Amino acid sequence: MLNKAILMGRLTRDPELRHTQSNTAVVSFSLAIDRDRRGPNNERQTDFIDCVAWGRTAEFVKQWFSKGMMAIVVGRIQSRNWEDKNGNKRVSIEINADEVSFGETKKSRESNGFGGYDSGSQIRPEGMNMASQAPSMPAYDLPVSDSEFSEIDDDDSDVPF
């Protein structure tokens, strides 16, 4: 069976970090995600999706994310049954996040008022997919022809598949 969700949206509030009785970190946050289509009166429609992350991922989210920042969340959809203060049975649907990464560049974050992030001081949690944290690729001077493509001289023409 497959249960995988990939979401990209803006945090609607600052992440809330708590710890379980066994001192495991757990953070909850919510993403606002615009729908592709507009409503009947051409208004923008938005879904608000609750997310939860555990352990080092929770600590990472609490340290580096705040309200309004764009985040990419990869995880699984989960339902949870609980009782409210009045004894009514409730069901919550949320994303249990396995990976959380930045959804915009540092420059974009700074222009949106979320500066202060220093990628050099980042400690990556194990298993995190930090695409925006990847080291920059070295620049190569490649010849460009009129078609913007050029022949590779050392091509062995063997295709491995």
Side-chain angles (χ1 to χ4, degrees):
M1 310 231 187
L2 179 65
N3 181 355
K4 186 160 189 154
I6 303 171
L7 306 172
M8 182 172 168
R10 295 199 179 274
L11 273 74
T12 61
R13 56 186 161 85
D14 288 337
E16 297 174 21
L17 181 68
R18 299 176 309 280
H19 288 84
T20 64
Q21 290 179 341
S22 60
N23 206 31
T24 301
V26 58
V27 71
S28 57
F29 58 99
S30 183
L31 291 180
I33 304 168
D34 289 337
R35 293 184 184 175
D36 291 339
R37 296 183 217 165
R38 293 190 177 262
N41 296 327
N42 203 28
E43 76 277 3
R44 180 170 288 193
Q45 294 182 321
T46 304
D47 291 308
F48 298 92
I49 310 295
D50 292 327
C51 301
V52 63
W54 297 83
R56 293 192 62 173
T57 304
E59 293 166 356
F60 171 79
V61 170
K62 177 60 178 171
Q63 181 176 1
W64 297 107
F65 287 87
S66 59
K67 179 181 178 178
M69 290 181 69
M70 182 78 70
I72 300 170
V73 175
V74 178
R76 58 193 179 279
I77 301 170
Q78 253 178 217
S79 63
R80 183 171 46 90
N81 296 317
W82 54 284
E83 237 178 68
D84 66 13
K85 294 176 187 176
N86 299 326
N88 299 318
K89 293 185 184 225
R90 310 281 295 202
V91 177
S92 292
I93 306 294
E94 58 195 8
I95 303 299
N96 191 326
D98 297 320
E99 303 173 31
V100 179
S101 54
F102 298 105
E104 56 194 343
T105 64
K106 179 181 177 185
K107 189 175 188 176
S108 178
R109 281 192 306 273
E110 288 172 349
S111 70
N112 288 330
F114 300 106
Y117 171 73
D118 176 16
S119 63
S121 65
Q122 167 72 41
I123 298 173
R124 293 184 192 177
E126 291 177 359
M128 292 297 289
N129 179 8
M130 301 295 296
S132 63
Q133 297 297 306
S136 59
M137 297 298 289
Y140 294 103
D141 290 325
L142 298 175
V144 178
S145 66
D146 291 337
S147 69
E148 295 188 34
F149 294 99
S150 61
E151 190 82 23
I152 299 174
D153 295 330
D154 61 345
D155 185 17
D156 62 1
S157 71
D158 287 337
V159 180
F161 49 91

